[in-house]
């Protein structure tokens, strides 16, 4: 894995972990001691995350540093999927029943669309 791919992987995992714990970019920035712009750039893979910053983010997000840096473990992919699903569940929490049904229909639409793309 090259540097750009590794930075993108770390960026995605940091963003997903932040969303999972329900922390805003502003709160993350304060917790680490950087600007919100720095968090935005880190999560986009536009800025390298310093070791001290990564350690602070890992503590803030209640994850081991290896969760963000280890590209070789298959369990991380499953964990990433679980993080995404939990983040979606938190976002859907509190929606009205009609909205939940609409969300389910949209998810089915996206799943079918993805299947068609894979075939074609």
């Amino acid at each position: 894995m090259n540097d750009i791919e590794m930075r993108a992987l770390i960026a995605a995992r940091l963003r997903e972990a932040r969303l999972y714990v329900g922390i805003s970019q502003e709160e993350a920035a304060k917790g680490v001691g950087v600007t919100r712009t720095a968090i935005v750039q880190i999560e986009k893979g536009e800025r390298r995350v310093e070791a001290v910053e990564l350690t602070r983010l890992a503590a803030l997000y209640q994850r081991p540093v290896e969760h963000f840096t280890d590209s070789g473990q298959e369990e991380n992919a499953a964990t990433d999927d679980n993080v995404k699903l939990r983040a979606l569940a938190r976002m859907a929490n509190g929606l009205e029943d009609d909205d939940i049904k609409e969300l389910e229909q949209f998810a089915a639409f996206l799943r079918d669309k993805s299947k068609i793309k894979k075939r074609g």
Side-chain angles (χ1 to χ4, degrees):
M1 180 175 293
N2 66 37
D3 287 352
I4 294 170
E5 292 169 334
M6 181 58 104
R7 190 179 305 158
L9 176 69
I10 292 170
R13 288 182 179 169
L14 283 168
R15 182 175 189 283
E16 290 167 1
R18 179 182 58 76
L19 292 172
Y20 176 74
V21 295
I23 295 175
S24 70
Q25 288 176 330
E26 186 67 36
E27 292 167 323
K30 287 179 184 175
V32 176
V34 298
T35 65
R36 181 183 169 280
T37 302
I39 296 295
V40 170
Q41 291 172 337
I42 288 168
E43 288 185 358
K44 287 183 175 181
E46 296 172 353
R47 176 187 180 280
R48 291 180 187 200
V49 60
E50 300 292 328
V52 173
E53 295 167 345
L54 183 58
T55 301
R56 289 178 182 160
L57 286 166
L60 189 64
Y61 301 157
Q62 303 171 5
R63 300 249 186 246
V65 171
E66 294 79 18
H67 172 79
F68 304 104
T69 61
D70 189 358
S71 62
Q73 291 188 357
E74 290 180 19
E75 69 189 45
N76 281 337
T79 300
D80 288 346
D81 287 345
N82 288 337
V83 167
K84 290 174 189 174
L85 290 174
R86 288 183 186 137
L88 285 171
R90 273 194 317 283
M91 286 184 234
N93 188 30
L95 291 176
E96 300 291 328
D97 288 342
D98 290 345
D99 294 330
I100 294 288
K101 288 177 185 174
E102 191 173 334
L103 185 59
E104 289 171 346
Q105 291 172 345
F106 186 64
F109 165 77
L110 291 175
R111 183 184 56 238
D112 293 344
K113 180 179 156 188
S114 178
K115 288 178 184 177
I116 291 169
K117 272 186 179 178
K118 288 179 184 177
R119 282 189 233 146

